[in-house]
Amino acid sequence: MTTLGDGKKCGGICGKLGLKPVTKNNILYYYFPLQSLVSYSALSMNVMNPSIAVKLLPKRDLTNFLLIHTIVGSTLYIYSRPHLQSAENSKKLAYSLTGGCLFSFGSVLIWAVLKSTLPKDQSCVATIAGLASGVAIVKMATDYFNHVDSTVAKK
């Protein structure tokens, strides 16, 4: 059994992987945002190299699905942050939704600008640039939230 940061024990595969126990809060505010990172990565590839999605699903455009999934996941991530816990629920939701939309749409805009600067015939380079910039954006965002959260007094 692994003891997690909140003092709870987690056995089995979640303990071995260092994951949080499966609870309602963890599903909403940990696992769903974590899983939406997969959608965020797929969104970066879809924007930077749309031919990948066309090859996998020729009759479907997944852009809106991936974008909405990314917005919901990032909104839930922001909603659960300690620095927002003292805000009333309606404001916390508004702040979180605004942050989730700005993060997601801002990323799409960054990728679109980045794609326009890359050579047109280098789809592999575009895919790697999309994934690498997505990692950098997520890292900066999580570092920022961790910094802001560190300024809040622990209860």
Short mmCIF file of all heavy atoms in Angstrom, two decimals, residues 24-91:
data_model
loop_
_atom_site.label_atom_id
_atom_site.label_comp_id
_atom_site.label_asym_id
_atom_site.label_seq_id
_atom_site.Cartn_x
_atom_site.Cartn_y
_atom_site.Cartn_z
N LYS A 24 -15.20 10.50 -5.76
CA LYS A 24 -15.94 11.44 -6.60
C LYS A 24 -15.10 12.69 -6.88
O LYS A 24 -14.99 13.12 -8.03
CB LYS A 24 -17.25 11.83 -5.92
CG LYS A 24 -18.06 12.84 -6.70
CD LYS A 24 -19.29 13.27 -5.93
CE LYS A 24 -19.91 14.49 -6.57
NZ LYS A 24 -20.92 15.09 -5.74
N ASN A 25 -14.49 13.26 -5.84
CA ASN A 25 -13.66 14.46 -6.04
C ASN A 25 -12.46 14.18 -6.93
O ASN A 25 -12.12 14.99 -7.78
CB ASN A 25 -13.19 15.01 -4.69
CG ASN A 25 -14.20 15.94 -4.07
OD1 ASN A 25 -15.22 16.25 -4.68
ND2 ASN A 25 -13.94 16.37 -2.87
N ASN A 26 -11.80 13.05 -6.72
CA ASN A 26 -10.63 12.73 -7.53
C ASN A 26 -11.00 12.46 -8.98
O ASN A 26 -10.24 12.80 -9.89
CB ASN A 26 -9.86 11.55 -6.94
CG ASN A 26 -9.12 11.93 -5.69
OD1 ASN A 26 -8.91 13.09 -5.38
ND2 ASN A 26 -8.72 10.92 -4.93
N ILE A 27 -12.16 11.85 -9.21
CA ILE A 27 -12.60 11.63 -10.59
C ILE A 27 -12.85 12.97 -11.28
O ILE A 27 -12.39 13.19 -12.40
CB ILE A 27 -13.86 10.74 -10.65
CG1 ILE A 27 -13.50 9.30 -10.27
CG2 ILE A 27 -14.50 10.79 -12.04
CD1 ILE A 27 -14.70 8.40 -10.08
N LEU A 28 -13.54 13.89 -10.59
CA LEU A 28 -13.86 15.18 -11.19
C LEU A 28 -12.65 16.09 -11.32
O LEU A 28 -12.48 16.77 -12.34
CB LEU A 28 -14.92 15.91 -10.36
CG LEU A 28 -16.35 15.44 -10.51
CD1 LEU A 28 -17.25 16.18 -9.53
CD2 LEU A 28 -16.82 15.65 -11.94
N TYR A 29 -11.82 16.17 -10.30
CA TYR A 29 -10.80 17.20 -10.25
C TYR A 29 -9.37 16.70 -10.43
O TYR A 29 -8.44 17.49 -10.41
CB TYR A 29 -10.92 17.98 -8.93
CG TYR A 29 -12.31 18.52 -8.72
CD1 TYR A 29 -13.08 18.15 -7.64
CD2 TYR A 29 -12.87 19.40 -9.64
CE1 TYR A 29 -14.36 18.63 -7.46
CE2 TYR A 29 -14.14 19.89 -9.48
CZ TYR A 29 -14.88 19.51 -8.38
OH TYR A 29 -16.15 20.00 -8.22
N TYR A 30 -9.20 15.39 -10.62
CA TYR A 30 -7.87 14.84 -10.87
C TYR A 30 -7.87 13.99 -12.13
O TYR A 30 -7.16 14.29 -13.09
CB TYR A 30 -7.39 14.03 -9.66
CG TYR A 30 -6.03 13.39 -9.85
CD1 TYR A 30 -4.87 14.14 -9.79
CD2 TYR A 30 -5.93 12.03 -10.11
CE1 TYR A 30 -3.63 13.56 -9.97
CE2 TYR A 30 -4.69 11.43 -10.30
CZ TYR A 30 -3.54 12.20 -10.22
OH TYR A 30 -2.32 11.62 -10.41
N TYR A 31 -8.70 12.95 -12.14
CA TYR A 31 -8.67 12.02 -13.27
C TYR A 31 -9.24 12.63 -14.55
O TYR A 31 -8.70 12.43 -15.63
CB TYR A 31 -9.39 10.71 -12.93
CG TYR A 31 -8.57 9.85 -12.00
CD1 TYR A 31 -8.91 9.71 -10.67
CD2 TYR A 31 -7.44 9.21 -12.47
CE1 TYR A 31 -8.14 8.95 -9.81
CE2 TYR A 31 -6.66 8.44 -11.62
CZ TYR A 31 -7.02 8.31 -10.30
OH TYR A 31 -6.24 7.56 -9.45
N PHE A 32 -10.34 13.37 -14.47
CA PHE A 32 -10.89 13.97 -15.68
C PHE A 32 -9.93 15.00 -16.28
O PHE A 32 -9.66 14.96 -17.49
CB PHE A 32 -12.28 14.57 -15.45
CG PHE A 32 -12.99 14.87 -16.74
CD1 PHE A 32 -13.70 13.90 -17.40
CD2 PHE A 32 -12.90 16.14 -17.31
CE1 PHE A 32 -14.33 14.18 -18.61
CE2 PHE A 32 -13.52 16.42 -18.52
CZ PHE A 32 -14.24 15.44 -19.17
N PRO A 33 -9.39 15.93 -15.46
CA PRO A 33 -8.38 16.84 -16.03
C PRO A 33 -7.15 16.11 -16.56
O PRO A 33 -6.60 16.49 -17.60
CB PRO A 33 -8.02 17.76 -14.86
CG PRO A 33 -9.23 17.76 -14.01
CD PRO A 33 -9.78 16.36 -14.11
N LEU A 34 -6.74 15.05 -15.89
CA LEU A 34 -5.59 14.28 -16.35
C LEU A 34 -5.90 13.63 -17.70
O LEU A 34 -5.09 13.67 -18.63
CB LEU A 34 -5.23 13.21 -15.31
CG LEU A 34 -3.96 12.43 -15.51
CD1 LEU A 34 -2.75 13.36 -15.44
CD2 LEU A 34 -3.83 11.36 -14.42
N GLN A 35 -7.09 13.06 -17.84
CA GLN A 35 -7.48 12.43 -19.09
C GLN A 35 -7.68 13.47 -20.19
O GLN A 35 -7.40 13.21 -21.35
CB GLN A 35 -8.77 11.61 -18.88
CG GLN A 35 -9.09 10.66 -20.01
CD GLN A 35 -9.79 11.32 -21.17
OE1 GLN A 35 -10.53 12.27 -21.01
NE2 GLN A 35 -9.55 10.82 -22.37
N SER A 36 -8.10 14.68 -19.81
CA SER A 36 -8.30 15.71 -20.85
C SER A 36 -6.96 16.19 -21.40
O SER A 36 -6.93 16.80 -22.47
CB SER A 36 -9.13 16.88 -20.32
OG SER A 36 -8.37 17.71 -19.49
N LEU A 37 -5.86 15.89 -20.72
CA LEU A 37 -4.54 16.16 -21.30
C LEU A 37 -4.32 15.34 -22.57
O LEU A 37 -3.63 15.78 -23.49
CB LEU A 37 -3.43 15.86 -20.29
CG LEU A 37 -3.16 16.93 -19.24
CD1 LEU A 37 -2.15 16.43 -18.23
CD2 LEU A 37 -2.72 18.22 -19.86
N VAL A 38 -4.92 14.16 -22.62
CA VAL A 38 -4.85 13.35 -23.83
C VAL A 38 -5.59 14.08 -24.96
O VAL A 38 -5.08 14.17 -26.09
CB VAL A 38 -5.45 11.94 -23.60
CG1 VAL A 38 -5.50 11.14 -24.89
CG2 VAL A 38 -4.66 11.21 -22.53
N SER A 39 -6.75 14.63 -24.65
CA SER A 39 -7.49 15.41 -25.66
C SER A 39 -6.71 16.65 -26.07
O SER A 39 -6.70 17.03 -27.24
CB SER A 39 -8.86 15.82 -25.12
OG SER A 39 -9.68 14.71 -24.98
N TYR A 40 -6.06 17.29 -25.10
CA TYR A 40 -5.25 18.47 -25.38
C TYR A 40 -4.11 18.12 -26.34
O TYR A 40 -3.83 18.85 -27.29
CB TYR A 40 -4.71 19.05 -24.07
CG TYR A 40 -3.91 20.32 -24.21
CD1 TYR A 40 -4.55 21.53 -24.47
CD2 TYR A 40 -2.54 20.31 -24.05
CE1 TYR A 40 -3.82 22.70 -24.57
CE2 TYR A 40 -1.81 21.47 -24.15
CZ TYR A 40 -2.45 22.67 -24.40
OH TYR A 40 -1.72 23.84 -24.51
N SER A 41 -3.46 16.99 -26.10
CA SER A 41 -2.38 16.54 -26.99
C SER A 41 -2.91 16.23 -28.38
O SER A 41 -2.30 16.60 -29.39
CB SER A 41 -1.71 15.29 -26.42
OG SER A 41 -1.14 15.57 -25.17
N ALA A 42 -4.05 15.55 -28.43
CA ALA A 42 -4.66 15.24 -29.72
C ALA A 42 -5.09 16.53 -30.44
O ALA A 42 -4.97 16.64 -31.66
CB ALA A 42 -5.86 14.31 -29.54
N LEU A 43 -5.57 17.50 -29.67
CA LEU A 43 -5.95 18.79 -30.25
C LEU A 43 -4.74 19.48 -30.86
O LEU A 43 -4.82 20.03 -31.96
CB LEU A 43 -6.60 19.67 -29.19
CG LEU A 43 -7.10 21.04 -29.64
CD1 LEU A 43 -8.20 20.91 -30.69
CD2 LEU A 43 -7.62 21.83 -28.43
N SER A 44 -3.60 19.42 -30.17
CA SER A 44 -2.39 20.05 -30.72
C SER A 44 -2.00 19.39 -32.03
O SER A 44 -1.64 20.07 -32.99
CB SER A 44 -1.24 19.99 -29.72
OG SER A 44 -0.66 18.71 -29.65
N MET A 45 -2.07 18.07 -32.07
CA MET A 45 -1.75 17.37 -33.32
C MET A 45 -2.77 17.68 -34.41
O MET A 45 -2.42 17.83 -35.58
CB MET A 45 -1.66 15.86 -33.08
CG MET A 45 -0.44 15.46 -32.30
SD MET A 45 -0.16 13.69 -32.24
CE MET A 45 -1.58 13.11 -31.36
N ASN A 46 -4.03 17.79 -34.04
CA ASN A 46 -5.10 18.07 -35.00
C ASN A 46 -4.93 19.45 -35.62
O ASN A 46 -5.17 19.63 -36.81
CB ASN A 46 -6.46 17.93 -34.33
CG ASN A 46 -7.59 17.93 -35.32
OD1 ASN A 46 -7.54 17.27 -36.34
ND2 ASN A 46 -8.64 18.67 -35.00
N VAL A 47 -4.53 20.42 -34.81
CA VAL A 47 -4.34 21.78 -35.33
C VAL A 47 -3.07 21.86 -36.17
O VAL A 47 -3.06 22.44 -37.25
CB VAL A 47 -4.29 22.81 -34.17
CG1 VAL A 47 -3.88 24.18 -34.67
CG2 VAL A 47 -5.64 22.88 -33.47
N MET A 48 -2.00 21.26 -35.67
CA MET A 48 -0.71 21.36 -36.34
C MET A 48 -0.59 20.45 -37.56
O MET A 48 0.11 20.77 -38.51
CB MET A 48 0.42 21.05 -35.36
CG MET A 48 0.55 22.05 -34.22
SD MET A 48 0.97 23.69 -34.77
CE MET A 48 2.67 23.48 -35.22
N ASN A 49 -1.25 19.30 -37.52
CA ASN A 49 -1.16 18.33 -38.62
C ASN A 49 -2.51 17.64 -38.79
O ASN A 49 -2.69 16.49 -38.40
CB ASN A 49 -0.05 17.31 -38.33
CG ASN A 49 0.22 16.40 -39.49
OD1 ASN A 49 -0.39 16.50 -40.54
ND2 ASN A 49 1.15 15.48 -39.29
N PRO A 50 -3.49 18.34 -39.38
CA PRO A 50 -4.84 17.78 -39.50
C PRO A 50 -4.93 16.50 -40.32
O PRO A 50 -5.89 15.74 -40.18
CB PRO A 50 -5.65 18.90 -40.16
CG PRO A 50 -4.73 20.00 -40.43
CD PRO A 50 -3.37 19.67 -39.93
N SER A 51 -3.93 16.22 -41.13
CA SER A 51 -3.98 15.02 -41.96
C SER A 51 -3.96 13.74 -41.12
O SER A 51 -4.46 12.71 -41.57
CB SER A 51 -2.84 15.01 -42.97
OG SER A 51 -1.58 14.94 -42.31
N ILE A 52 -3.42 13.81 -39.91
CA ILE A 52 -3.42 12.63 -39.03
C ILE A 52 -4.85 12.22 -38.70
O ILE A 52 -5.23 11.06 -38.82
CB ILE A 52 -2.62 12.88 -37.74
CG1 ILE A 52 -1.13 13.01 -38.05
CG2 ILE A 52 -2.84 11.76 -36.73
CD1 ILE A 52 -0.28 13.40 -36.85
N ALA A 53 -5.66 13.20 -38.28
CA ALA A 53 -7.05 12.91 -37.92
C ALA A 53 -7.85 12.44 -39.12
O ALA A 53 -8.70 11.56 -39.01
CB ALA A 53 -7.70 14.14 -37.29
N VAL A 54 -7.58 13.04 -40.28
CA VAL A 54 -8.30 12.65 -41.51
C VAL A 54 -8.00 11.20 -41.86
O VAL A 54 -8.87 10.47 -42.31
CB VAL A 54 -7.94 13.60 -42.67
CG1 VAL A 54 -8.49 13.11 -43.99
CG2 VAL A 54 -8.45 15.00 -42.37
N LYS A 55 -6.76 10.78 -41.64
CA LYS A 55 -6.39 9.39 -41.93
C LYS A 55 -7.05 8.42 -40.97
O LYS A 55 -7.47 7.33 -41.35
CB LYS A 55 -4.87 9.22 -41.86
CG LYS A 55 -4.14 9.85 -43.02
CD LYS A 55 -2.65 9.74 -42.86
CE LYS A 55 -1.94 10.54 -43.93
NZ LYS A 55 -0.49 10.61 -43.72
N LEU A 56 -7.16 8.82 -39.69
CA LEU A 56 -7.76 7.94 -38.68
C LEU A 56 -9.28 7.89 -38.80
O LEU A 56 -9.88 6.83 -38.71
CB LEU A 56 -7.36 8.39 -37.27
CG LEU A 56 -5.89 8.26 -36.92
CD1 LEU A 56 -5.61 8.88 -35.55
CD2 LEU A 56 -5.46 6.80 -36.94
N LEU A 57 -9.90 9.04 -38.96
CA LEU A 57 -11.36 9.13 -39.06
C LEU A 57 -11.72 10.05 -40.22
O LEU A 57 -11.99 11.24 -40.03
CB LEU A 57 -11.96 9.69 -37.76
CG LEU A 57 -11.75 8.83 -36.52
CD1 LEU A 57 -12.03 9.62 -35.26
CD2 LEU A 57 -12.64 7.61 -36.57
N PRO A 58 -11.78 9.51 -41.43
CA PRO A 58 -11.96 10.36 -42.61
C PRO A 58 -13.28 11.13 -42.67
O PRO A 58 -13.36 12.17 -43.29
CB PRO A 58 -11.84 9.39 -43.78
CG PRO A 58 -11.92 8.03 -43.22
CD PRO A 58 -11.63 8.11 -41.76
N LYS A 59 -14.30 10.65 -42.02
CA LYS A 59 -15.60 11.31 -42.12
C LYS A 59 -15.96 12.12 -40.88
O LYS A 59 -17.07 12.61 -40.76
CB LYS A 59 -16.69 10.28 -42.39
CG LYS A 59 -16.52 9.60 -43.73
CD LYS A 59 -17.64 8.67 -44.02
CE LYS A 59 -17.39 8.01 -45.38
NZ LYS A 59 -18.47 7.17 -45.80
N ARG A 60 -15.04 12.25 -39.95
CA ARG A 60 -15.32 12.97 -38.70
C ARG A 60 -14.28 14.06 -38.48
O ARG A 60 -13.10 13.86 -38.69
CB ARG A 60 -15.26 12.02 -37.51
CG ARG A 60 -16.23 10.91 -37.54
CD ARG A 60 -17.51 11.34 -36.91
NE ARG A 60 -18.40 10.19 -36.86
CZ ARG A 60 -19.69 10.30 -36.93
NH1 ARG A 60 -20.25 11.46 -37.02
NH2 ARG A 60 -20.46 9.24 -36.89
N ASP A 61 -14.74 15.23 -38.03
CA ASP A 61 -13.84 16.28 -37.59
C ASP A 61 -13.91 16.31 -36.06
O ASP A 61 -14.95 16.63 -35.49
CB ASP A 61 -14.24 17.63 -38.17
CG ASP A 61 -13.31 18.75 -37.73
OD1 ASP A 61 -12.23 18.46 -37.18
OD2 ASP A 61 -13.66 19.91 -37.94
N LEU A 62 -12.83 15.94 -35.44
CA LEU A 62 -12.80 15.83 -33.98
C LEU A 62 -12.41 17.12 -33.28
O LEU A 62 -12.36 17.17 -32.05
CB LEU A 62 -11.82 14.73 -33.56
CG LEU A 62 -12.18 13.32 -33.97
CD1 LEU A 62 -11.09 12.35 -33.52
CD2 LEU A 62 -13.51 12.92 -33.36
N THR A 63 -12.15 18.18 -34.01
CA THR A 63 -11.64 19.41 -33.42
C THR A 63 -12.53 19.92 -32.31
O THR A 63 -12.06 20.21 -31.19
CB THR A 63 -11.43 20.49 -34.49
OG1 THR A 63 -10.63 19.96 -35.53
CG2 THR A 63 -10.77 21.73 -33.90
N ASN A 64 -13.82 20.06 -32.56
CA ASN A 64 -14.73 20.61 -31.55
C ASN A 64 -14.84 19.69 -30.34
O ASN A 64 -14.88 20.16 -29.20
CB ASN A 64 -16.11 20.88 -32.14
CG ASN A 64 -16.09 22.05 -33.09
OD1 ASN A 64 -15.21 22.90 -33.04
ND2 ASN A 64 -17.06 22.09 -33.99
N PHE A 65 -14.90 18.39 -30.57
CA PHE A 65 -14.95 17.43 -29.46
C PHE A 65 -13.71 17.57 -28.59
O PHE A 65 -13.80 17.65 -27.36
CB PHE A 65 -15.07 16.01 -29.99
CG PHE A 65 -14.93 14.96 -28.92
CD1 PHE A 65 -16.00 14.65 -28.09
CD2 PHE A 65 -13.72 14.30 -28.73
CE1 PHE A 65 -15.86 13.70 -27.08
CE2 PHE A 65 -13.58 13.35 -27.73
CZ PHE A 65 -14.65 13.05 -26.90
N LEU A 66 -12.54 17.60 -29.20
CA LEU A 66 -11.29 17.72 -28.45
C LEU A 66 -11.21 19.05 -27.72
O LEU A 66 -10.76 19.12 -26.57
CB LEU A 66 -10.09 17.55 -29.39
CG LEU A 66 -9.95 16.18 -30.04
CD1 LEU A 66 -8.87 16.21 -31.12
CD2 LEU A 66 -9.66 15.10 -29.01
N LEU A 67 -11.65 20.12 -28.37
CA LEU A 67 -11.63 21.44 -27.76
C LEU A 67 -12.55 21.51 -26.55
O LEU A 67 -12.16 21.99 -25.48
CB LEU A 67 -12.00 22.50 -28.80
CG LEU A 67 -11.93 23.95 -28.34
CD1 LEU A 67 -10.52 24.32 -27.92
CD2 LEU A 67 -12.41 24.87 -29.46
N ILE A 68 -13.76 21.01 -26.69
CA ILE A 68 -14.71 21.03 -25.57
C ILE A 68 -14.19 20.18 -24.42
O ILE A 68 -14.26 20.58 -23.25
CB ILE A 68 -16.12 20.58 -26.03
CG1 ILE A 68 -16.73 21.66 -26.92
CG2 ILE A 68 -17.02 20.27 -24.85
CD1 ILE A 68 -17.97 21.25 -27.66
N HIS A 69 -13.66 19.02 -24.74
CA HIS A 69 -13.12 18.14 -23.70
C HIS A 69 -11.96 18.81 -22.97
O HIS A 69 -11.84 18.71 -21.74
CB HIS A 69 -12.68 16.81 -24.33
CG HIS A 69 -12.60 15.70 -23.36
ND1 HIS A 69 -11.42 15.30 -22.81
CD2 HIS A 69 -13.56 14.92 -22.81
CE1 HIS A 69 -11.64 14.31 -21.97
NE2 HIS A 69 -12.93 14.05 -21.96
N THR A 70 -11.12 19.52 -23.69
CA THR A 70 -10.00 20.23 -23.09
C THR A 70 -10.51 21.38 -22.22
O THR A 70 -9.99 21.59 -21.11
CB THR A 70 -9.05 20.77 -24.19
OG1 THR A 70 -8.57 19.65 -24.94
CG2 THR A 70 -7.89 21.52 -23.61
N ILE A 71 -11.52 22.09 -22.67
CA ILE A 71 -12.08 23.20 -21.88
C ILE A 71 -12.67 22.66 -20.58
O ILE A 71 -12.42 23.22 -19.51
CB ILE A 71 -13.14 23.98 -22.69
CG1 ILE A 71 -12.46 24.77 -23.81
CG2 ILE A 71 -13.95 24.90 -21.79
CD1 ILE A 71 -13.44 25.38 -24.81
N VAL A 72 -13.44 21.59 -20.67
CA VAL A 72 -14.06 21.03 -19.46
C VAL A 72 -12.98 20.55 -18.48
O VAL A 72 -13.05 20.84 -17.28
CB VAL A 72 -15.04 19.89 -19.81
CG1 VAL A 72 -15.53 19.17 -18.56
CG2 VAL A 72 -16.23 20.44 -20.60
N GLY A 73 -11.98 19.84 -18.97
CA GLY A 73 -10.92 19.34 -18.10
C GLY A 73 -10.14 20.46 -17.44
O GLY A 73 -9.86 20.41 -16.23
N SER A 74 -9.77 21.48 -18.20
CA SER A 74 -9.01 22.59 -17.61
C SER A 74 -9.89 23.41 -16.67
O SER A 74 -9.41 23.91 -15.65
CB SER A 74 -8.38 23.46 -18.69
OG SER A 74 -9.32 23.93 -19.61
N THR A 75 -11.18 23.53 -16.98
CA THR A 75 -12.09 24.24 -16.07
C THR A 75 -12.19 23.51 -14.74
O THR A 75 -12.12 24.14 -13.66
CB THR A 75 -13.49 24.36 -16.71
OG1 THR A 75 -13.37 25.15 -17.90
CG2 THR A 75 -14.49 25.00 -15.77
N LEU A 76 -12.34 22.19 -14.77
CA LEU A 76 -12.40 21.42 -13.52
C LEU A 76 -11.08 21.51 -12.75
O LEU A 76 -11.08 21.61 -11.52
CB LEU A 76 -12.73 19.96 -13.82
CG LEU A 76 -14.17 19.69 -14.25
CD1 LEU A 76 -14.32 18.26 -14.77
CD2 LEU A 76 -15.14 19.96 -13.11
N TYR A 77 -9.96 21.50 -13.45
CA TYR A 77 -8.65 21.63 -12.81
C TYR A 77 -8.55 22.96 -12.07
O TYR A 77 -8.16 23.01 -10.90
CB TYR A 77 -7.54 21.51 -13.86
CG TYR A 77 -6.16 21.73 -13.30
CD1 TYR A 77 -5.51 20.72 -12.60
CD2 TYR A 77 -5.50 22.94 -13.46
CE1 TYR A 77 -4.24 20.92 -12.08
CE2 TYR A 77 -4.24 23.15 -12.96
CZ TYR A 77 -3.61 22.14 -12.26
OH TYR A 77 -2.36 22.34 -11.74
N ILE A 78 -8.93 24.05 -12.75
CA ILE A 78 -8.85 25.37 -12.13
C ILE A 78 -9.85 25.49 -10.98
O ILE A 78 -9.53 26.04 -9.92
CB ILE A 78 -9.09 26.48 -13.17
CG1 ILE A 78 -7.97 26.45 -14.23
CG2 ILE A 78 -9.18 27.85 -12.52
CD1 ILE A 78 -8.25 27.30 -15.46
N TYR A 79 -11.05 24.95 -11.16
CA TYR A 79 -12.11 25.03 -10.15
C TYR A 79 -11.66 24.44 -8.81
O TYR A 79 -12.04 24.93 -7.75
CB TYR A 79 -13.35 24.30 -10.66
CG TYR A 79 -14.56 24.44 -9.78
CD1 TYR A 79 -15.41 25.52 -9.92
CD2 TYR A 79 -14.87 23.48 -8.81
CE1 TYR A 79 -16.54 25.66 -9.12
CE2 TYR A 79 -15.99 23.61 -8.00
CZ TYR A 79 -16.82 24.70 -8.17
OH TYR A 79 -17.93 24.83 -7.37
N SER A 80 -10.83 23.40 -8.86
CA SER A 80 -10.44 22.71 -7.63
C SER A 80 -9.21 23.30 -6.97
O SER A 80 -8.79 22.82 -5.91
CB SER A 80 -10.18 21.23 -7.94
OG SER A 80 -9.00 21.11 -8.74
N ARG A 81 -8.61 24.33 -7.55
CA ARG A 81 -7.37 24.88 -7.01
C ARG A 81 -7.61 25.56 -5.66
O ARG A 81 -8.63 26.22 -5.45
CB ARG A 81 -6.74 25.87 -7.98
CG ARG A 81 -6.46 25.32 -9.36
CD ARG A 81 -5.65 24.06 -9.34
NE ARG A 81 -4.36 24.30 -8.71
CZ ARG A 81 -3.39 23.41 -8.59
NH1 ARG A 81 -3.58 22.19 -9.05
NH2 ARG A 81 -2.27 23.71 -8.01
N PRO A 82 -6.66 25.41 -4.72
CA PRO A 82 -6.82 25.99 -3.38
C PRO A 82 -7.05 27.49 -3.36
O PRO A 82 -7.78 28.00 -2.50
CB PRO A 82 -5.51 25.63 -2.69
CG PRO A 82 -5.03 24.39 -3.38
CD PRO A 82 -5.47 24.55 -4.81
N HIS A 83 -6.46 28.23 -4.28
CA HIS A 83 -6.62 29.68 -4.24
C HIS A 83 -8.04 30.14 -4.55
O HIS A 83 -8.40 31.28 -4.24
CB HIS A 83 -5.61 30.37 -5.18
CG HIS A 83 -5.91 30.22 -6.64
ND1 HIS A 83 -5.49 29.11 -7.36
CD2 HIS A 83 -6.58 31.01 -7.50
CE1 HIS A 83 -5.89 29.25 -8.62
NE2 HIS A 83 -6.55 30.38 -8.72
N LEU A 84 -8.87 29.28 -5.10
CA LEU A 84 -10.26 29.64 -5.39
C LEU A 84 -11.25 29.12 -4.36
O LEU A 84 -12.44 29.40 -4.47
CB LEU A 84 -10.66 29.11 -6.78
CG LEU A 84 -10.11 29.87 -7.97
CD1 LEU A 84 -10.57 29.21 -9.27
CD2 LEU A 84 -10.54 31.33 -7.95
N GLN A 85 -10.80 28.38 -3.39
CA GLN A 85 -11.73 27.73 -2.46
C GLN A 85 -12.54 28.70 -1.62
O GLN A 85 -13.63 28.38 -1.19
CB GLN A 85 -10.99 26.72 -1.58
CG GLN A 85 -10.39 25.57 -2.36
CD GLN A 85 -11.35 24.96 -3.38
OE1 GLN A 85 -12.44 24.53 -3.05
NE2 GLN A 85 -10.94 24.97 -4.65
N SER A 86 -12.03 29.92 -1.41
CA SER A 86 -12.79 30.88 -0.60
C SER A 86 -13.80 31.67 -1.44
O SER A 86 -14.65 32.37 -0.88
CB SER A 86 -11.84 31.85 0.10
OG SER A 86 -11.11 32.60 -0.86
N ALA A 87 -13.75 31.55 -2.75
CA ALA A 87 -14.70 32.27 -3.62
C ALA A 87 -16.05 31.56 -3.59
O ALA A 87 -16.13 30.35 -3.41
CB ALA A 87 -14.17 32.31 -5.05
N GLU A 88 -17.11 32.36 -3.78
CA GLU A 88 -18.43 31.74 -3.85
C GLU A 88 -18.51 30.91 -5.13
O GLU A 88 -17.82 31.18 -6.12
CB GLU A 88 -19.54 32.78 -3.78
CG GLU A 88 -19.47 33.84 -4.85
CD GLU A 88 -20.49 34.95 -4.64
OE1 GLU A 88 -20.32 35.74 -3.70
OE2 GLU A 88 -21.44 35.00 -5.44
N ASN A 89 -19.32 29.87 -5.10
CA ASN A 89 -19.36 28.89 -6.19
C ASN A 89 -19.61 29.49 -7.56
O ASN A 89 -18.99 29.07 -8.55
CB ASN A 89 -20.39 27.79 -5.90
CG ASN A 89 -19.88 26.80 -4.88
OD1 ASN A 89 -18.69 26.69 -4.65
ND2 ASN A 89 -20.81 26.09 -4.25
N SER A 90 -20.51 30.47 -7.67
CA SER A 90 -20.80 31.05 -8.99
C SER A 90 -19.59 31.79 -9.54
O SER A 90 -19.28 31.68 -10.74
CB SER A 90 -22.01 31.99 -8.91
OG SER A 90 -21.74 33.06 -8.02
N LYS A 91 -18.87 32.51 -8.69
CA LYS A 91 -17.67 33.20 -9.16
C LYS A 91 -16.55 32.21 -9.45
O LYS A 91 -15.81 32.38 -10.43
CB LYS A 91 -17.20 34.23 -8.12
CG LYS A 91 -18.07 35.45 -8.09
CD LYS A 91 -17.48 36.52 -7.21
CE LYS A 91 -18.35 37.75 -7.29
NZ LYS A 91 -17.76 38.88 -6.59
#
